[in-house]
Amino acid sequence: IAKILDDDAWMTRDAETRATRLSGLIRSGQLPPLPADEAVTKTIGVFKSIGWGHQHFGRRALGPYIISMTQDADDVLSVLFLARMAGLVDAENNVPLDVAPLLETVDDLKHGEAILEHLFTDSAYQAHLAAREKRQIIMVGYSDSNKDGGLISARWALATAQSQLTRICEKHSVNHGFFHGRGGTVSRGGGNVAGGILGAPAGTVNGFLRVTEQGEVINQKYGNRALAERNLELATAATLKSGLVAVPTPEPEWQQAMSLMAESSRETYRQLVYEHPQFVDYFRHATPIDVIERMGIGSRPASRRSGSGVENLRAIPWVFSWAQCRIGLPASYGMGTALKVALDEYGIETLRAMKGSWLFFSSMLSDVEMALAKSDLDIGRHYRSLAPASSQIIFDLVDTELKLAETLILDIKEQDNLLDNEPTLQRSIRLRNPYVDPMSLLQVDLLKRWREDERRDDTLLEALLVTVNGIARGIQNTG
C-alpha cells in the first residue's frame, strides 16, 4: 500500500491516520494508478485470482479473506482497498468478499472490541457490511495466543473476547460468526471439541460453527467413515444443543477466580519463556527444534522473522519441539501456580464447584490433565542432558511446575491418578509409551552426535528425521 500511495512513511503513521486515509479512498472511488512494481503486482494478483475463482466456480467456492495478526482497523480496510485496486467489485460496485480479522495474540484479542467498534462506525465499512447482509466473520486464534501467554491466559482471553465481540456486534445489529483457528494439540486449541462448543460463552455460537482441522487430526477424526460420521455428529449435536439450552452464566466469584488464574498463569509462563535469560539456550539445545526447522513441513517457514527467539517462532514448530521431548510445557506450564493462587484465595471447594458446574473450566482442566498424562518427565530428563549445565535449571522449573499442576488437578477432581475418568485413553498412553521410549533415547543420542559434527552429517540428519516421524506417530501429536 505504501508503494501504491507513494508514501514511504506509511508504516510509521499511526493506525488511525492510515484507516482514515483508506476509508476516504474507498468511499470516493478515486483510486491511484497502480505502480509498475513486482511486489504490488503479486499482491494485486491475489485479488485478481479471487475474482477468477468467483467467475469460474461461484462465490461460495471461496471462503472469507482472513487477515492474520490483525491489530487495528486499517488492516481490514487495507483488504477492501486492495480488492478495489484489483477490480474485485460486483455490478453494484461492492467488494464480494467476506473479510475476517484474525485475532491471534492475547493483546490482539483484548483489542478486538476496539477494532470492531471502529469498523462498524466507519462509513466505508458500513457500506461493505450492508452489501454482505450485515454478516461479519471473526477468526480467533488459539495457537499464537497460547504461545504468547500460556494456555489458561489464552483460553480466558478467548472466552472474554468472544463475549465482548458479541456485545459489539449486537450493539450495531451485525450478524456475527466465530471462526475458530484450532490446531490439533491441546496447546493449539485441540481437545474435546464438543466440550469447547458447549462451554463457549452465551451468545457466541448461535447455531454456527466454523473451525480448522489440521495435520494428523484430519486422519484421526476423519480417516474412515465411522470416525468421520461420529466426529461430525458430535460437533453438530453440540452446536445445535448450544442454541437450544441456555448457557448458564458462571458465578461472579468463579469469574474472579478465573481472571486471577489467567493473570497468574500468564505471568508465570512469560517469566520462563520470554524473560528467563537461559530459556532460549535451553530450548535450542534440549529440543530437536533445529531438526524440525529443516523439515520444511507446513505451508510456511518455521519462523516469521529471523532470530532464534521464541517470539519469532511459529506455533507449530514450537509445540512440535516440546512434544518430541515428551514435555507438555506449551499446554500446562503456569497451571500449577495458577491453581495454587486460586486455591489460597478461594479454597478447594470453590474450585471443585467450578469444575462440577462450569463446563468452560472443567474442559480446560481436563485438557491440561490429558497434556500432563502424555508428558514423560523421565524421558524429558534425558533431553535435559543435551543442554549446557548453565541452562539446565529450566528443566527443574518445568518439572516443579508440572508436578504441582498434576497434584492440584488430582485434588480438585478427587482422583488418584491422571485420566482415571478416561480409562481408554489412560490405557492407550500406558501401552504405547514402551514402544516410543526407545525412539526418544535414540533421538537424544543422534542429536548429540549430529551437533558435535556441526550438523554436517546428512546420514545422521536422515536418521533424526526418522525418529521425529516415529515419535510423532507413536504419541499421535505433532504441532
Side-chain angles (χ1 to χ4, degrees), residues 407-476:
T407 298
L408 295 180
I409 288 174
L410 292 176
D411 191 12
I412 293 167
K413 301 188 77 169
E414 300 179 89
Q415 296 174 187
D416 294 326
N417 302 289
L418 294 171
L419 298 180
D420 275 352
N421 59 337
E422 294 280 353
T424 301
L425 179 57
Q426 186 187 60
R427 183 172 60 254
S428 174
I429 293 172
R430 187 176 66 250
L431 290 174
R432 77 189 185 206
N433 278 355
Y435 297 93
V436 181
D437 292 350
M439 287 187 285
S440 294
L441 299 178
L442 179 60
Q443 186 180 86
V444 171
D445 179 63
L446 289 168
L447 279 170
K448 183 179 180 181
R449 291 159 55 193
W450 183 56
R451 290 167 179 171
E452 286 175 348
D453 190 55
E454 297 182 355
R455 301 176 175 85
R456 292 176 300 190
D457 192 325
D458 289 342
T459 302
L460 288 175
L461 178 59
E462 289 176 10
L464 275 167
L465 294 175
V466 172
T467 65
V468 168
N469 187 48
I471 294 168
R473 286 178 176 272
I475 65 175
Q476 298 180 21

Side-chain angles (χ1 to χ4, degrees), residues 134-322:
K134 298 201 76 172
R135 179 71 168 174
Q136 177 67 55
I137 302 296
I138 307 159
M139 190 170 183
V140 289
Y142 291 71
S143 301
D144 282 286
S145 57
N146 196 116
K147 186 170 77 73
D148 174 51
L151 183 135
I152 305 175
S153 173
R155 291 279 179 96
W156 187 234
L158 283 156
T160 304
Q162 287 177 68
S163 295
Q164 293 171 341
L165 297 173
T166 295
R167 287 196 294 269
I168 289 294
C169 290
E170 291 173 347
K171 172 185 172 182
H172 294 277
S173 301
V174 173
N175 301 315
H176 69 285
F178 285 105
F179 183 0
H180 300 270
R182 294 177 180 270
T185 54
V186 166
S187 48
R188 296 187 57 236
N192 188 323
V193 173
I197 297 167
L198 295 172
T204 61
V205 179
N206 296 329
F208 178 90
L209 176 67
R210 189 180 185 112
V211 62
T212 53
E213 297 282 34
Q214 305 170 23
E216 72 274 10
V217 174
I218 295 175
N219 183 61
Q220 290 172 10
K221 287 188 174 181
Y222 312 104
N224 60 59
R225 186 183 183 90
L227 278 175
E229 288 180 347
R230 179 177 183 273
N231 282 291
L232 289 171
E233 286 171 358
L234 283 171
T236 303
T239 303
L240 293 172
K241 184 178 179 180
S242 68
L244 297 172
V245 179
V247 178
T249 302
E251 299 288 339
E253 184 182 46
W254 298 356
Q255 297 183 56
Q256 292 167 9
M258 195 63 239
S259 295
L260 178 64
M261 282 189 280
E263 181 181 351
S264 173
S265 172
R266 177 178 169 82
E267 182 180 346
T268 302
Y269 178 89
R270 290 193 66 86
Q271 281 178 350
L272 178 79
V273 175
Y274 292 98
E275 298 171 15
H276 198 292
Q278 300 297 332
F279 183 81
V280 173
D281 191 34
Y282 183 84
F283 172 65
R284 284 279 160 187
H285 284 89
T287 77
I289 179 60
D290 46 351
V291 178
I292 291 168
E293 287 175 328
R294 286 164 168 75
M295 292 178 70
I297 57 174
S299 58
R300 297 172 292 181
S303 296
R304 286 190 170 89
R305 295 169 291 275
S306 61
S308 60
V310 176
E311 63 276 3
N312 298 323
L313 196 65
R314 292 190 184 275
I316 291 176
W318 163 249
V319 176
F320 198 178
S321 300
W322 289 108

